[in-house]
Amino acid sequence: MADRGCPLEAAPLPAEVLESLAELELELSEGDITQKGYEKKRAKLLARYIPLIQGVDPCLQTESRVPGPLLTAPTAKPQKPRANSRDERFRSDVHTEAVQAALAKYKERKMPMPSKRRSALVHSSVETYTPPDPHSAPPDVTTGLVEHSHFERPQMASVRGVPRGHGRNMLETADGVPVNSRVSSKIQQLLNTLKRPKRPPLKEFFVDDFEELLEVQQPDPNQPKPEGEQMAVLKGEPLSVGTSGPPTLLAALQLWGTTQPKAPCLTALDTSGKAICTLTYGKLWSRSLKLAYTLLSKLTSKNEPLLNPGDRVALVFPNSDPVMFMVAFYGCLLAELVPVPIEVPLTRKDAGSQHVGFLLGSCGVTLALTTDACQKGLPKAPTGEVATFKGWPPLAWLVIDGKHLTKPPKDWYPLAQDTGSRTAYIEYKTSKDGSTVGVTVPHSSLLAQCQALTQVCGYTEAETLTNVLDFKRDAGLWHGVLTSVMNRMHVISIPYALMKVNPLSWIQKVCSYKARAALVKSRDMHWSLLAQRGQRDVCLSSLRMLIVADGANPWSISSCDAFLNVFQSRGLRPEVICPCASSPEALTVAIRRPPDLGGPPPRKAVLSMNGLSYGVIRVDTEEKLSVLTVQDVGQVMPGASVCVVKVDGVPYLCKTDEIGEICVSSVATGTAYYGLLGITKNVFETVPVTADGVPVSDRPFTRTGLLGFIGPENLVFVVGKLDGLTVVGARRHNADDIVATALAVEPMKFVYRGRIAVFSVTVLHDDRIVLVAEQRPDSSEEDSFQWMSRVLQAIDSIHQVGVYCLALVPANTLPKAPLGGIHISETKQRFLEGTLHPCNVLMCPHTCVTNLPKPRQKQPEVGPASMIVGNLVAGKRIAQASGRELAHLEDSDQARKFLFLADVLQWRAHTTPDHPLFLLLNAKGTVTSTATCIQLHKRAERVAAALMEKGRLDAGDHVALVYPPGVDLIAAFYGCLYCGCVPVTVRPPHPQNLGTTLPTVKMIVEVSKSACVLSTQAITRLLKSKEAAAAVDVRTWPTILDTDDIPKKKVASIFRPPSPDVLAYLDFSVSTTGILAGVKMSHAATSALCRSIKLQCELYPSRQIAICLDPYCGLGFALWCLCSVYSGHQSVLVPPLELESNVSLWLSAVSQYKARVTFCSYSVMEMCTKGLGAQTGALRMKGVNLSCVRTCMVVAEERPRISLTQSFSKLFKDLGLPARAVSTTFGCRVNVAICLQGTTGPDPTTVYVDMRALRHDRVRLVERGSPHSLPLMESGKILPGVKVIIAHTETKGPLGDSHLGEIWVSSPHNATGYYTVYGEEALHADHFSARLSFGDTQTIWARTGYLGFLRRTELTDASGERHDALYVVGSLDETLELRGMRYHPIDIETSVIRAHRSIAECAVFTWTNLLVVVVELDGLEQDALDLVALVTNVVLEEHYLVVGVVVIVDPGVIPINSRGEKQRMHLRDGFLADQLDPIYVAYNM
């Protein structure tokens, strides 16, 4: 690394001061000392040597770094350890400085911190429990919260603009948003963050239209391009096959085992560092023979030998037992069997163990060798056998401890051939996606590898080697098990468990055994540095080679440098450190040799990160921050040729200044992936070609999976692995580089043991970078958030790439690889499945996702006339349809007679006095009250008399009816008609929830200008209670009359309206967008409505229908209060509230009364589907039979919920419900009943439309199951007398068939206008008197405010005409206009609910152009944060939208009205006023 310009170099410091400084550095990096304490102690140490500058880091006084040249050879003089060297895994000082400098460039930006409920911080495992930190309590989001029982959903239709909570005065903005809201200030912060000027956006690479054109990303014209010559193939020195040594590995084993039986071969240590077993060459030989004999002679099944030469055998040995492994390995070789070493599966669901099972199955393994102790520790099946692991083939387990083996006869000797191309062993390799493959290594490669390693490492007989690596694979196996035996060396094997307890153990063993060589990873050097304080007596002067097996990791250089700094004073010579590069496919690729073995001096390269991301080598001069310093991994192996080829496509040779994949051609490489011919050819039989396409050699090359280049003096440099590569846009980034940058932000203080995983996930056609880190158990919320935002800034400025998701998990919770590293593919799997359980998440889709389709540009408006002409030219008819004509259906005489409902009731009371009209059921299913025609008439008279006498009301006065669902409500309604008053039905307040529901009641009473309130005794008391006074001003109620005990009185004369156009009643309802709208219904419209429903449903006095609806507004009110009186049929009334205590009430009533027609709401249907799912058998036993039902209609003002109606139909098919019975209705404020299936006519049809086209206001029909398809069901048949047309939302011109537009309706039962629209009067003036701008401009239409389309089907109506189906897509008020497109919340919500099984419900809304997604978590609070990324991903993938805020709440928080519709605006107000008590709020950056 380039020396830094520090004045320290001027005055040489004594060795002990340098050592103390190095220790101080380590303490700081480990977080064992504060920055302040560090500076104090450091100043003290340096005070004597630098009297001028006290307490200041001299390095900070001058330019912090002198950029080094590209390749620096070390100078001849011995390098002094630098005083300021901080040692980390994966870190070079240059890099840490670069990161800190990059962060300094950013001023601390205010980013909104996520809000988290306190309880969500507590994680289940005790070891990861974070004690609550008094300084970091998250903002209190519980103020003004309405208490709900946990799962009970607030069924309310309260109105926006009414302050909720307890009369708190809040300033409100025009949007009804409280100004003091903490949430909105956070959103403001988020908006400010997003407004920052970003880098110029990448060229959009696909247009989202009918055909998705994936444009190729245009290359950046300024990107660096390789300019060097084409490289030449690099050849290593010849492999000198020693004449003196044994010719093969097994010959060596036999030679040493018989001539030097006492020579030590392997020493195994226990976790305290004591030698537990030394295997001599004699023992190894005799035990291996014994095992070979047992395997060949003693294992039989049905007198056939169990194993044949060449069969594969699994070796399952723990990392603490190298002795038994070695015996097993050589025993297999002697018996001509192929060993397949794998990890010990500790549980049935180990990370990646399923993939290992796949490998064993594909290798045809039937036998596993293991030790007694290991076998006892394996999970067992109930039979006592070893359990079968998930995905594993059935295995026989053989324990190979001495007592289980049979001694061979004196003269027995195996005929093992260990030369040639037969497979010697199979080494497993886990690829990027977690799948496991087996690399086959033939005997010839095995021998060549041992000879080459002997040659380059200068191994000699009886040398001692200390091995810290896994002896089952890779360099640990090649050096510590194979080459060592070839040379009769003594290996000291250090188990991973010992390294965990005592990271210094390997150094102590080098010291005590005077080892000449040691085999380590940079991690081991790093951990030993941290542990070496106070160890004065270690001496490393015996080492002639310290082989760093992961020298190919670009960040090993910092460990090497730091290790040398500290241990040079303990006898370590700089030239001893030998990084090497290897891969499972090519075995050892290159290794640095000490000068005495002919190696050139080591070199370093300081490369531009930006250049590397384009695959180009550039010396970094301008941008000093983003550099990568790499060390060479030495020269090519003897007898091998090496070249570098392009990563993708044809393997062309790279230029000399270009990064590519290193390929090796040699006799010492693996030859295939076992059983996988296709990928074997790609990897093991690559033929590199020159730019002209000429092959560079007649021998195939093996791809190593390493990325790098060849530097000066033919040294090999590696800059990363193909597996760790992420391609974002056109640039490549290496996972290890990003890990290093993250670690350099705040080394070791925050991240637990440096455990960080980086991987990429594909979202919306591109790789997105995800970084997951384990946080220290004592870190607070603020710490973690600050660390996350700094990591984002560092990665952004050093790698110029955005991180899509940053997740923090508690310490020790990421899945571990066998030797303690992080199991990346398993971590990725958990992230995608939502089982990672992070404790903090930061998503940055706004900065990363630069390839969204272009926002839709609105076309210059096409005039309505040209649209009609266009339709005619295209052969499309104008989209209009109508129900049956009323005139043909009924004599006008009866229609005239039934013009006023009050008259109809009197007529029925006179002609059929005892005919029952209403039956009301309670939760037990018993009839609590009934009303015949005469009873209802008499009760209505009493109410009318009371209103006139007690209430002193005049005709035309408005009266609010506040009743629970029941006959009282109906009687009060007709009582009002009898005296000429105008009734307004109002849902009574909820006694447990007065604070929220009473203000709505009060408001409707006030807005409707009611002169009197009629109610029951209980509700009257409630309206005047103390609790009510806390929510509203009870002194301002109008007269309240209790109708429970009014005297029996007749009215002198019943009021008869002067004309049918006089107002009959007011219908008030709160829309899902929170707008309270009251519509006026005239007497003519009321009777026309009843007439249409009667004709459509064939209602006569002999019929019974069952109604499970709320009776307060819309069609529910009409069916409950009006239709029975008009048609004379009997209505069985089931209040939906009663279903909460008896779910089967409605269906039992339908069955008991044999109702042909029944009506319900979506919330009722959902309760039945969820609550009775498992009880259909029990209901059948009770005699519930639904075969009587001709039609079951869901009363709704929304798009039909197909999935719910289908699951309801399927579920209750067992109870006889006909498949075609379930359908939906459609009505809205301007006309409460536009469509209604009725008892005749064709079945409702379903079509599939392209969801992307809908966003552009177009309808495109697609096949079922095609991507982006959305099923839409017809909303029932258009009612008699109703005409419907589809009009353009802006030009108001008529549209063609299958075009999406606003549904306009013309009918005798249209409401006559709004009485009031609370909140938005001006907007709705033209709703009832709209005319088309072209075409039929005479007809007066009412605008429904709903988008939909008409489509002529192949079916025929009763009249023989082809049937026109109306499809409702959604309410215009609710649509979200985002990126120029129109989205329906329900579509986004459906995607989100599918994203994870614990999402119970979801609602979306927008706030200042940000999309806010609220999800209800039906699961543990600590799983809440898993949902953030999944929700963001699914909305991006399926809707091309970036989610701004994800809010996770408890079940039941999303308010739902009585019709089962989500009150999204109400939810929005609650969110902005901080009233939701969310579990977690994530602000996506």
Side-chain angles (χ1 to χ4, degrees):
M1 209 167 305
D3 279 347
R4 294 185 285 178
C6 288
L8 281 182
E9 299 295 332
L13 296 172
E16 62 272 18
V17 174
L18 286 174
E19 204 163 311
S20 308
L21 280 172
E23 281 177 21
L24 255 186
E25 280 291 340
L26 282 168
E27 283 183 27
L28 177 65
S29 69
E30 267 295 79
D32 296 346
I33 182 174
T34 61
Q35 185 73 31
K36 209 168 179 180
Y38 161 77
E39 279 163 8
K40 218 170 179 177
K41 284 189 174 177
R42 190 170 184 280
K44 209 168 173 182
L45 279 171
L46 295 177
R48 290 173 35 221
Y49 305 97
I50 314 174
L52 302 172
I53 316 173
Q54 282 197 346
V56 179
D57 181 344
C59 296
L60 300 177
Q61 297 254 322
T62 59
E63 168 58 38
S64 68
R65 187 159 60 77
V66 181
L70 166 63
L71 293 151
T72 55
T75 43
K77 66 177 176 133
Q79 200 182 359
K80 271 198 215 73
R82 283 206 308 272
N84 195 357
S85 68
R86 290 171 72 159
D87 315 306
E88 291 312 336
R89 161 169 100 107
F90 273 0
R91 235 191 78 246
S92 67
D93 289 0
V94 179
H95 199 70
T96 306
E97 286 179 23
V99 168
Q100 300 306 337
L103 290 174
K105 285 206 306 195
Y106 283 85
K107 288 192 204 60
E108 268 305 313
R109 293 209 305 263
K110 278 296 272 182
M111 284 171 154
M113 215 178 115
S115 326
K116 182 184 286 190
R117 189 189 291 168
R118 188 86 237 148
S119 54
L121 303 177
V122 182
H123 277 264
S124 48
S125 77
V126 181
E127 61 195 273
T128 60
Y129 172 67
T130 315
D133 171 10
H135 308 298
S136 71
D140 173 27
V141 288
T142 54
T143 45
L145 176 69
V146 183
E147 287 294 326
H148 302 305
S149 66
H150 196 61
F151 263 80
E152 186 192 327
R153 198 177 284 286
Q155 284 235 344
M156 54 196 185
S158 41
V159 185
R160 300 181 56 212
V162 180
R164 285 169 219 87
H166 302 282
R168 288 185 307 160
N169 290 326
M170 278 185 179
L171 280 169
E172 295 203 349
T173 59
D175 266 316
V177 178
V179 183
N180 69 347
S181 153
R182 202 183 287 98
V183 181
S184 42
S185 65
K186 284 192 175 172
I187 292 185
Q188 204 44 57
Q189 278 179 24
L190 176 57
L191 288 173
N192 297 343
T193 327
L194 298 180
K195 275 181 198 152
R196 274 191 355 265
K198 284 207 217 62
R199 286 190 296 284
L202 296 168
K203 181 149 174 22
E204 309 262 358
F205 80 59
F206 68 95
V207 177
D208 172 41
D209 205 31
F210 284 157
E211 279 61 54
E212 213 151 298
L213 304 170
L214 278 142
E215 290 180 18
V216 179
Q217 195 130 13
Q218 298 305 313
D220 173 5
N222 305 322
Q223 75 178 51
K225 295 188 174 58
E227 294 155 3
E229 302 284 306
Q230 180 173 297
M231 72 160 296
V233 175
L234 185 59
K235 290 189 165 39
E237 78 259 37
L239 179 59
S240 57
V241 180
T243 44
S244 55
T248 70
L249 189 57
L250 291 182
L253 175 62
Q254 186 179 6
L255 174 68
W256 308 133
T258 48
T259 62
Q260 305 268 359
K262 295 271 192 299
C265 166
L266 176 71
T267 299
L269 308 174
D270 64 8
T271 48
S272 61
K274 285 200 186 71
I276 39 171
C277 168
T278 293
L279 181 72
T280 61
Y281 276 94
K283 281 269 172 58
L284 175 60
W285 170 240
S286 63
R287 287 188 189 177
S288 304
L289 265 182
K290 210 168 160 187
L291 175 60
Y293 178 69
T294 307
L295 288 171
L296 289 176
S297 322
K298 294 297 171 193
L299 298 180
T300 54
S301 66
K302 303 191 185 102
N303 294 330
E304 287 286 310
L306 188 67
L307 298 164
N308 295 312
D311 281 355
R312 276 74 52 206
V313 174
L315 268 48
V316 185
F317 292 89
N319 287 311
S320 54
D321 201 345
V323 171
M324 294 306 263
F325 173 79
M326 207 157 175
V327 170
F329 196 92
Y330 281 105
C332 287
L333 292 187
L334 283 169
E336 295 195 281
L337 298 170
V338 177
V340 185
I342 58 169
E343 304 304 330
V344 178
L346 298 175
T347 64
R348 299 196 64 168
K349 290 197 298 198
D350 263 8
S353 122
Q354 202 173 342
H355 295 297
V356 173
F358 173 74
L359 169 72
L360 297 178
S362 61
C363 290
V365 173
T366 55
L367 178 71
L369 306 186
T370 187
T371 64
D372 205 17
C374 180
Q375 199 254 7
K376 284 187 178 129
L378 290 171
K380 301 289 188 295
T383 55
E385 300 284 303
V386 175
T388 307
F389 297 98
K390 192 175 171 197
W392 283 39
L395 292 181
W397 291 81
L398 176 68
V399 173
I400 65 157
D401 297 52
K403 58 176 184 283
H404 298 279
L405 302 181
T406 314
K407 199 169 179 186
K410 277 270 190 294
D411 53 351
W412 186 83
Y413 183 75
L415 303 167
Q417 296 291 315
D418 64 335
T419 51
S421 60
R422 286 197 12 268
T423 303
Y425 74 98
I426 293 175
E427 177 169 318
Y428 79 86
K429 171 209 171 178
T430 305
S431 51
K432 186 177 183 177
D433 59 356
S435 59
T436 303
V437 291
V439 177
T440 57
V441 180
H443 285 286
S444 52
S445 299
L446 185 64
L447 182 62
Q449 178 72 4
C450 290
Q451 291 168 338
L453 287 176
T454 303
Q455 184 173 329
V456 296
C457 299
Y459 286 140
T460 54
E461 268 186 52
E463 243 184 346
T464 307
L465 165 76
T466 310
N467 177 21
V468 189
L469 305 187
D470 182 359
F471 49 77
K472 297 195 288 295
R473 53 196 302 247
D474 212 72
L477 175 67
W478 308 328
H479 290 262
V481 175
L482 306 174
T483 309
S484 59
V485 168
M486 195 84 182
N487 296 294
R488 195 172 66 78
M489 293 161 64
H490 180 196
V491 177
I492 316 296
S493 187
I494 299 191
Y496 174 63
L498 171 58
M499 284 295 289
K500 275 195 346 200
V501 181
N502 174 11
L504 263 186
S505 51
W506 72 272
I507 296 182
Q508 292 160 351
K509 295 305 163 207
V510 166
C511 201
S512 57
Y513 284 93
K514 300 278 180 290
R516 305 269 289 137
L519 188 58
V520 297
K521 284 195 162 176
S522 47
R523 173 187 70 187
D524 308 318
M525 300 165 80
H526 170 64
W527 292 121
S528 56
L529 279 175
L530 299 178
Q532 57 81 35
R533 305 167 197 154
Q535 293 278 343
R536 295 275 178 256
D537 52 350
V538 291
C539 170
L540 296 178
S541 56
S542 64
L543 275 183
R544 61 176 188 80
M545 267 192 106
L546 175 57
I547 301 167
V548 185
D550 62 345
N553 181 333
W555 301 99
S556 60
I557 180 170
S558 53
S559 290
C560 294
D561 284 0
F563 191 78
L564 186 61
N565 278 344
V566 171
F567 286 101
Q568 200 164 358
S569 59
R570 320 256 178 101
L572 181 72
R573 304 189 299 285
E575 65 274 11
V576 165
I577 295 179
C578 300
C580 77
S582 62
S583 83
E585 292 83 1
L587 283 54
T588 310
V589 176
I591 186 165
R592 191 190 288 174
R593 315 187 193 169
D596 54 350
L597 290 174
R603 299 220 173 213
K604 291 180 181 171
V606 181
L607 308 175
S608 147
M609 283 274 199
N610 186 44
L612 283 179
S613 72
Y614 289 108
V616 178
I617 301 160
R618 287 289 175 268
V619 184
D620 203 275
T621 47
E622 284 100 56
E623 182 63 66
K624 297 186 187 65
L625 293 181
S626 43
V627 292
L628 176 67
T629 307
V630 287
Q631 61 186 350
D632 70 278
V633 288
Q635 293 160 296
V636 182
M637 295 295 283
S641 306
V642 164
C643 64
V644 181
V645 301
K646 294 195 186 291
V647 176
D648 301 316
V650 181
Y652 287 113
L653 285 181
C654 287
K655 296 185 173 169
T656 49
D657 61 344
E658 190 174 5
I659 303 284
E661 185 175 5
I662 298 172
C663 294
V664 177
S665 174
S666 142
V667 287
T669 63
T671 53
Y673 290 131
Y674 188 88
L676 301 168
L677 298 175
I679 54 174
T680 289
K681 197 164 174 55
N682 282 349
V683 173
F684 294 92
E685 297 167 28
T686 296
V687 181
V689 292
T690 60
D692 310 327
V694 182
V696 297
S697 153
D698 50 357
R699 289 196 51 189
F701 279 70
T702 298
R703 287 178 177 266
T704 61
L706 299 173
L707 300 171
F709 61 95
I710 308 295
E713 297 196 52
N714 291 342
L715 290 171
V716 179
F717 285 83
V718 175
V719 296
K721 288 198 176 82
L722 208 54
D723 269 359
L725 212 58
T726 298
V727 184
V728 180
R731 296 170 58 214
R732 298 197 179 103
H733 303 277
N734 205 310
D736 286 342
D737 298 353
I738 293 171
V739 168
T741 301
L743 275 176
V745 167
E746 220 165 31
M748 308 311 288
K749 281 206 203 80
F750 180 78
V751 179
Y752 178 71
R753 295 203 153 179
R755 288 172 62 81
I756 293 183
V758 169
F759 50 87
S760 63
V761 295
T762 307
V763 181
L764 200 62
H765 311 293
D766 208 350
D767 275 1
R768 313 284 175 200
I769 294 174
V770 177
L771 189 150
V772 183
E774 288 188 2
Q775 64 176 28
R776 303 246 308 223
D778 51 356
S779 37
S780 69
E781 288 292 284
E782 274 79 0
D783 292 347
S784 39
F785 196 71
Q786 187 186 6
W787 182 82
M788 294 196 319
S789 39
R790 294 184 61 185
V791 166
L792 289 179
Q793 292 160 5
I795 292 173
D796 184 68
S797 53
I798 285 177
H799 303 274
Q800 282 95 47
V801 67
V803 175
Y804 176 68
C805 174
L806 222 161
L808 296 175
V809 297
N812 274 326
T813 54
L814 284 179
K816 289 189 173 70
L819 282 187
I822 296 171
H823 200 295
I824 303 283
S825 58
E826 182 76 9
T827 303
K828 174 174 172 174
Q829 192 61 28
R830 288 187 189 180
F831 173 78
L832 291 172
E833 286 171 355
T835 53
L836 193 61
H837 308 330
C839 46
N840 258 314
V841 171
L842 185 57
M843 299 282 300
C844 310
H846 291 281
T847 34
C848 294
V849 181
T850 47
N851 60 344
L852 287 170
K854 294 189 178 70
R856 172 180 168 211
Q857 304 297 321
K858 288 273 165 74
Q859 298 304 321
E861 267 322 328
V862 181
S866 44
M867 285 187 94
I868 283 206
V869 173
N871 280 329
L872 295 173
V873 171
K876 282 194 180 154
R877 62 187 202 95
I878 296 298
Q880 64 184 50
S882 51
R884 294 175 291 168
E885 290 292 332
L886 281 173
H888 306 322
L889 293 173
E890 199 172 5
D891 63 352
S892 45
D893 180 43
Q894 193 185 358
R896 269 201 303 280
K897 190 165 67 189
F898 282 17
L899 210 51
F900 299 105
L901 274 179
D903 295 358
V904 180
L905 179 56
Q906 291 169 68
W907 174 75
R908 287 201 185 282
H910 181 67
T911 54
T912 54
D914 299 323
H915 175 66
L917 289 178
F918 298 104
L919 292 180
L920 180 74
L921 303 185
N922 66 5
K924 293 194 177 77
T926 39
V927 177
T928 51
S929 64
T930 59
T932 59
C933 301
I934 189 75
Q935 285 169 339
L936 186 61
H937 168 66
K938 285 186 171 162
R939 285 166 79 171
E941 282 198 314
R942 280 159 61 193
V943 172
L947 281 172
M948 289 155 83
E949 289 168 23
K950 280 196 193 169
R952 301 211 167 75
L953 296 186
D954 301 323
D957 281 349
H958 298 181
V959 177
L961 314 181
V962 186
Y963 286 92
V967 180
D968 287 348
L969 173 70
I970 303 169
F973 176 81
Y974 286 99
C976 290
L977 296 190
Y978 275 13
C979 66
C981 291
V982 177
V984 184
T985 47
V986 184
R987 175 191 307 280
H990 195 295
Q992 273 84 55
N993 198 353
L994 279 182
T996 316
T997 54
L998 191 60
T1000 308
V1001 175
K1002 185 85 166 61
M1003 191 163 167
I1004 296 177
V1005 170
E1006 284 171 3
V1007 169
S1008 64
K1009 303 193 173 67
S1010 294
C1012 173
V1013 174
L1014 289 184
S1015 193
T1016 62
Q1017 199 168 0
I1019 291 174
T1020 306
R1021 267 201 224 108
L1022 188 63
L1023 295 181
K1024 296 177 174 173
S1025 68
K1026 252 207 216 90
E1027 293 78 18
V1032 297
D1033 184 354
V1034 292
R1035 293 166 304 179
T1036 56
W1037 286 116
T1039 315
I1040 299 179
L1041 290 184
D1042 156 17
T1043 56
D1044 281 359
D1045 52 355
I1046 45 175
K1048 292 187 176 174
K1049 276 201 173 171
K1050 275 191 171 183
V1051 275
S1053 65
I1054 289 174
F1055 175 81
R1056 191 173 162 76
S1059 119
D1061 298 328
V1062 169
L1063 187 57
Y1065 69 95
L1066 291 179
D1067 182 336
F1068 271 87
S1069 146
V1070 180
S1071 75
T1072 49
T1073 50
I1075 292 167
L1076 174 70
V1079 293
K1080 298 186 281 198
M1081 286 293 282
S1082 67
H1083 285 281
T1086 307
S1087 56
L1089 170 66
C1090 292
R1091 188 166 79 226
S1092 275
I1093 294 173
K1094 174 189 173 184
L1095 293 168
Q1096 194 82 330
C1097 297
E1098 300 178 347
L1099 300 175
Y1100 310 112
S1102 57
R1103 289 276 155 83
Q1104 277 185 319
I1105 72 169
I1107 300 171
C1108 190
L1109 292 168
D1110 272 322
Y1112 300 107
C1113 60
L1115 186 55
F1117 165 77
L1119 289 165
W1120 188 288
C1121 294
L1122 311 176
C1123 292
S1124 268
V1125 169
Y1126 186 89
S1127 310
H1129 59 270
Q1130 186 179 344
S1131 295
V1132 179
L1133 307 175
V1134 182
L1137 217 62
E1138 304 289 0
L1139 264 66
E1140 286 181 10
S1141 45
N1142 175 8
V1143 192
S1144 60
L1145 175 65
W1146 166 53
L1147 295 179
S1148 306
V1150 169
S1151 163
Q1152 184 188 340
Y1153 292 98
K1154 304 224 173 344
R1156 278 167 52 107
V1157 176
T1158 181
F1159 292 91
C1160 70
S1161 64
Y1162 278 124
S1163 41
V1164 166
M1165 192 168 264
E1166 196 161 19
M1167 278 167 87
C1168 292
T1169 311
K1170 286 183 177 164
L1172 299 173
Q1175 295 175 31
T1176 48
L1179 289 175
R1180 201 182 308 117
M1181 298 291 284
K1182 285 184 188 163
V1184 174
N1185 180 355
L1186 302 179
S1187 54
C1188 55
V1189 178
R1190 283 285 295 279
T1191 176
C1192 164
M1193 287 172 273
V1194 190
V1195 172
E1197 298 190 5
E1198 58 179 300
R1199 177 201 300 177
R1201 300 187 201 172
I1202 293 194
S1203 56
L1204 180 55
T1205 56
Q1206 281 177 349
S1207 48
F1208 180 83
S1209 295
K1210 271 192 199 128
L1211 191 60
F1212 297 107
K1213 188 175 76 187
D1214 295 353
L1215 297 181
L1217 181 71
R1220 43 179 290 181
V1222 180
S1223 63
T1224 61
T1225 70
F1226 172 62
C1228 59
R1229 290 285 67 203
V1230 298
N1231 184 323
V1232 297
I1234 297 170
C1235 298
L1236 194 145
Q1237 183 62 29
T1239 45
T1240 54
D1243 289 350
T1245 52
T1246 299
V1247 293
Y1248 291 84
V1249 298
D1250 186 324
M1251 206 189 307
R1252 293 163 308 174
L1254 275 187
R1255 293 173 203 151
H1256 296 270
D1257 287 346
R1258 290 196 288 259
V1259 177
R1260 178 175 171 228
L1261 299 181
V1262 293
E1263 290 298 313
R1264 177 182 178 170
S1266 60
H1268 302 282
S1269 64
L1270 173 73
L1272 291 177
M1273 183 164 87
E1274 178 187 353
S1275 293
K1277 303 287 166 284
I1278 297 173
L1279 279 166
V1282 175
K1283 285 191 347 194
V1284 168
I1285 193 160
I1286 305 295
H1288 192 284
T1289 47
E1290 280 153 20
T1291 62
K1292 302 190 174 61
L1295 289 173
D1297 214 18
S1298 293
H1299 269 61
L1300 189 69
E1302 187 181 4
I1303 301 167
W1304 286 15
V1305 59
S1306 163
S1307 120
H1309 63 256
N1310 275 8
T1312 48
Y1314 282 119
Y1315 178 74
T1316 173
V1317 180
Y1318 182 79
E1320 306 195 5
E1321 284 86 343
L1323 296 181
H1324 296 277
D1326 70 335
H1327 268 199
F1328 290 87
S1329 52
R1331 293 172 193 262
L1332 289 173
S1333 55
F1334 192 80
D1336 166 17
T1337 53
Q1338 297 313 304
T1339 311
I1340 292 187
W1341 301 88
R1343 299 177 55 180
T1344 61
Y1346 282 80
L1347 287 171
F1349 61 94
L1350 279 164
R1351 180 172 165 269
R1352 181 150 274 188
T1353 64
E1354 297 304 313
L1355 307 170
T1356 50
D1357 276 332
S1359 56
E1361 292 290 313
R1362 274 175 66 194
H1363 167 65
D1364 292 314
L1366 175 65
Y1367 298 93
V1368 178
V1369 174
S1371 156
L1372 255 172
D1373 280 352
E1374 287 211 323
T1375 54
L1376 311 173
E1377 282 267 344
L1378 290 163
R1379 311 189 71 255
M1381 289 174 276
R1382 205 194 296 275
Y1383 288 88
H1384 294 271
I1386 185 70
D1387 296 329
I1388 300 175
E1389 289 159 1
T1390 305
S1391 298
V1392 170
I1393 287 172
R1394 261 203 333 265
H1396 194 273
R1397 64 177 178 280
S1398 58
I1399 297 178
E1401 187 51 277
C1402 162
V1404 302
F1405 52 82
T1406 51
W1407 166 243
T1408 57
N1409 277 344
L1410 287 177
L1411 178 64
V1412 181
V1413 178
V1414 180
V1415 293
E1416 290 184 353
L1417 170 74
D1418 182 9
L1420 299 170
E1421 280 192 359
Q1422 54 259 44
D1423 306 350
L1425 282 81
D1426 284 315
L1427 307 181
V1428 177
L1430 297 182
V1431 166
T1432 309
N1433 292 357
V1434 77
V1435 176
L1436 256 174
E1437 277 285 352
E1438 297 186 11
H1439 303 277
Y1440 311 146
L1441 289 177
V1442 176
V1443 176
V1445 185
V1446 181
V1447 187
I1448 296 163
V1449 295
D1450 293 315
V1453 167
I1454 295 172
I1456 283 187
N1457 66 15
S1458 59
R1459 294 190 294 272
E1461 296 164 336
K1462 296 172 196 167
Q1463 303 268 288
R1464 296 183 182 88
M1465 290 307 117
H1466 199 78
L1467 179 71
R1468 179 174 100 162
D1469 294 350
F1471 168 65
L1472 294 168
D1474 261 344
Q1475 290 171 350
L1476 298 186
D1477 183 25
I1479 298 169
Y1480 192 79
V1481 183
Y1483 299 92
N1484 286 348
M1485 311 309 298

